[in-house]
Amino acid sequence: QLQASGGGLVQAGGSLRLSCVASGRTFSNYYMAWFRQVPGQEREFVAASRGNGGSTIYADSVQGRFTLSRENTKKTVYLQMEGLMPEDTAVYYCTCKTTRIILSNTRNSQAYDYWGQGTQVTVSS
């Protein structure tokens, strides 16, 4: 089970931090990711943390502005978003895979098993 929070309304250039708390016993092994979706569009990859101390990967559109981090003792993953732009407006979803994902599939939403309820991020111009 995943519980996401932290969305809201912010002006362009502002910041938000999203949080996602997971259940389960081996969180440090989980592949955790954030996707976002605008109505009428496909779900878009934002960032992912590969489990077992693996790498963190970002979409080109957020590279340098967003930072994904995880706190394994709290079973929580964060998405720190800086320099927000109106095009970042979307519902943001936290997702995880409890088993390994091959690197080439990390950005594929279908590779993940569990999804949170989504949290709305709105950036005004």
Side-chain angles (χ1 to χ4, degrees):
Q1 188 173 6
L2 299 172
Q3 184 70 37
S5 61
L9 173 64
V10 64
Q11 289 188 333
S15 303
L16 280 174
R17 188 177 81 157
L18 307 183
S19 301
C20 177
V21 181
S23 59
R25 299 173 65 180
T26 56
F27 177 80
S28 62
N29 296 341
Y30 295 174
Y31 286 62
M32 302 297 300
W34 290 93
F35 284 75
R36 64 188 183 186
Q37 189 168 26
V38 174
Q41 298 184 17
E42 291 187 358
R43 199 161 287 189
E44 176 191 22
F45 171 77
V46 176
S49 168
R50 294 174 59 75
N52 300 309
S55 58
T56 303
I57 299 169
Y58 297 94
D60 290 345
S61 59
V62 307
Q63 181 78 48
R65 299 188 299 121
F66 291 10
T67 303
L68 187 154
S69 60
R70 58 193 299 163
E71 198 166 354
N72 289 333
T73 56
K74 294 185 177 181
K75 298 181 182 180
T76 301
V77 63
Y78 304 98
L79 186 68
Q80 179 68 43
M81 304 184 292
E82 307 281 350
L84 283 162
M85 303 185 293
E87 48 264 48
D88 294 318
T89 296
V91 177
Y92 283 70
Y93 295 92
C94 173
T95 183
C96 83
K97 175 81 170 179
T98 60
T99 56
R100 182 177 175 270
I101 300 175
I102 61 174
L103 183 59
S104 60
N105 252 357
T106 304
R107 302 168 188 257
N108 182 356
S109 63
Q110 296 185 1
Y112 296 86
D113 293 330
Y114 302 98
W115 292 83
Q117 81 284 10
T119 184
Q120 176 71 47
V121 172
T122 303
V123 185
S124 63
S125 56

